[in-house]
Structures are given as structure tokens and as C-alpha cells.
Amino acid sequence: MIFFRQVSMIPIHDILPHLVAPLKSGEITRFAPSPSGYLHLGHAFSAMFASSLAATSGGLMCLRIDDIDTTRCREIYFDAIFEDLAFLGIPYEEPVRYQSQHLSASHEALEYLKNQDLIYPCYLSRRELAELLSAPHHPSNTDQLITSNIRSEREADGNQPAWRLRMATIRDRFRDIQATDLIHGQVNIVLENIGDEVIARKDIGTSYHLSTVLDDDAMGVSLVSRGYDLFDAIPVQRILQELLGITPPRYAHHELIPNEQGQRLAKRENALSLRQMRQNGCDRDLILRMMTKCRNFIEKK
Ligand code: GLU
């Protein structure tokens, strides 16, 4: 194993916020971008953040490419991730993990959950579900919304189902589940508030949640660090870890870097990419200084 080379240029203390729980020594963190757009300042911050946590604890940062959603991934964005990280001078552990190369683990996990009757197939589209749920006196369990006629018709037509958590059973099996976030403290997950989430989409046979939980575990990630926009992913991911017997990692959800209007940056809205900033003459130090400034700005709010 190659040990993490601490990069002295990264302003570690400028990037790390106050932690409510201490770092353990040798934390394994990861940066997990999706190759569905160019990385922006928010990604740079996330990568720096994961890298700083790892370096401060004497651990490692791994890179994972979240490429399960083939409809949104593009070859140019894969290459751009490596170029942008090189430009920022952020080292990562080799080999890089590609989520799409580990789909068999998701399929095995699904088989296990099916055999335990913890998930059920759902043949309804989002729109059909929304219509049924808007009707008065609808059943509370999504599974009861689909009549056996529709189900057998769609099965016979060869339609692939999505797979949803059977929360009624899961609630009986577990008491409340907790997660530890080094920035936000203890997170208590109230199972009553969680619906029958899709954990395998019909088109790809897995989901962001399932692949993330399995890959984080396979990579030995001890600290999942990522932006606060994914804070709400904790409950489903913690439930999946409990169901699959996975030792939970700890979490660190950092604040989001705002744009000039104070809104979060998003790839879909063509947020200024690192690539564009570079073409406009920004060098690495300027980008680092901008991130530090953004952090100070968020902290003072
Ligand atoms: N691939 C996700 C993204 O780019 C991040 C997944 C995660 O950190 O859990 O937003």
C-alpha cells in the first residue's frame, strides 16, 4: 500500500471546520465524483476536504468514479476528473475504483435482501405512484398500491421492476439507528420517517445508495466525507448497512460552496467549472484561496 504523501501546500486548518468528534488515526476517506459533468469549485473543496481529513489523521484518500448511471456519464468527464485533480495537486490512492465494475456485488446483495423479504419489486412508474398516492384513503404501503393483476401483467410483458425497501418489516426488526457525523454530531434516524425507497433502479439494477454502501465498505472507507447536499442520504445508507451486516463508517458532511448569488453550485446549471476557471487564468493557488475565502464566508454567516 502506498502511504499518503502529505501535501504541505494544502491549507489544512483553513479547510477543516470544528469537529465535534475527533479524527481517528489512519482514516480512509474517499472522493467519489460522478463523470456526468466537469468538476466545479464545490468538487475541488470536497476533494481537498477528504484529502485533508486523511492527511491530518495519517490515513489515505481513495478516488472512486461513480459511473453507474451510464445515461449521464461521458468519456470526456472521466478524463477531466484526473486532469483536474492533477491540476489541484491532490494525491489519491491507486487503484482508482470504478463503481460500474462492481455491479455483481449489488446483484448479490439484492438476492440476499429478496430472500429475506426485505425488498419488493415495484412495477409502477413515478407518475403512476404519484397519482395513486394523491387519491384519498390510499394504502400507506407502496407495495399495496399495485394490484396483483397489474403486477402479473407487467411481469408477463417482461418489464423489469425497481426494488424498494419493505420498511414495514424493517421497522419491526430495528429500533432506531444512529450515525455519527464529525461535523453535525450524532444523527438519530427515525425509521417511521423513511419511505419504501428504491434501492435498485429497473434500468441499472442498482442505485446510488446500494452501490455507495457496498463500495465504501469494499474500499475500507472509515470516514465518508462529502457535501451537505448528501446529508439526507444517511438514513437509507445506514439502513442498508444494518440489513447487509456492514460495519458503518463515520460521516463528515461539509458545507456547500455557494455561488455569487449565495446558491449552491450544481453541475446541471453549468456552474463555473475548474476547467473554465483554469482557461480564464486561475492558477491552483488562486483556487485554493477562493475556497478558503468561501469557508470563512460560510463560517461567519
Ligand atoms: N457521486 C456523488 C456525487 O458526485 C457523490 C457520492 C457520495 O459522496 O456519496 O455527487
Side-chain angles (χ1 to χ4, degrees), residues 192-246:
E192 271 61 38
N193 296 344
I194 317 290
D196 289 358
E197 295 276 341
V198 170
I199 60 146
R201 283 165 37 176
K202 62 177 179 190
D203 55 345
I204 52 177
T206 186
S207 62
Y208 156 64
H209 290 305
L210 183 59
S211 283
T212 296
V213 158
L214 292 171
D215 283 323
D216 283 339
D217 182 51
M219 294 160 79
V221 171
S222 63
L223 182 57
V224 169
S225 70
R226 58 189 176 196
Y228 190 71
D229 52 334
L230 289 168
F231 189 77
D232 290 343
I234 295 179
V236 178
Q237 296 187 4
R238 281 292 295 109
I239 289 169
L240 283 173
Q241 287 152 357
E242 293 296 320
L243 297 179
L244 296 169
I246 291 173

Side-chain angles (χ1 to χ4, degrees), residues 45 255-258 293-301:
F45 185 77
E255 319 89 310
L256 302 177
I257 297 277
K293 242 174 126 178
C294 287
R295 252 209 61 72
N296 292 339
F297 167 75
I298 300 167
E299 205 120 86
K300 284 192 193 108
K301 266 205 304 194

Side-chain angles (χ1 to χ4, degrees), residues 69-138:
D69 192 343
T70 45
T71 54
R72 293 179 54 218
C73 298
R74 298 270 176 284
E75 207 53 48
I76 42 164
Y77 301 136
F78 284 80
D79 297 341
I81 290 171
F82 298 109
E83 281 170 30
D84 289 343
L85 288 176
F87 167 71
L88 292 168
I90 299 181
Y92 46 83
E93 191 61 6
E94 304 270 6
V96 175
R97 189 176 177 96
Y98 292 83
Q99 242 179 0
S100 62
Q101 290 174 4
H102 300 277
L103 295 180
S104 58
S106 296
H107 302 156
E108 273 168 36
L110 276 185
E111 282 311 307
Y112 170 79
L113 295 172
K114 277 180 212 172
N115 291 337
Q116 302 276 316
D117 205 25
L118 293 164
I119 54 176
Y120 64 86
C122 177
Y123 288 92
L124 298 175
S125 67
R126 255 174 224 267
R127 183 179 323 151
E128 287 172 320
L129 265 179
E131 274 168 18
L132 289 167
L133 287 169
S134 66
H137 313 301
H138 63 74

Side-chain angles (χ1 to χ4, degrees), residues 176-179 186-190:
D176 288 345
I177 297 175
Q178 265 99 38
Q186 192 79 0
V187 183
N188 292 321
I189 294 149
V190 182

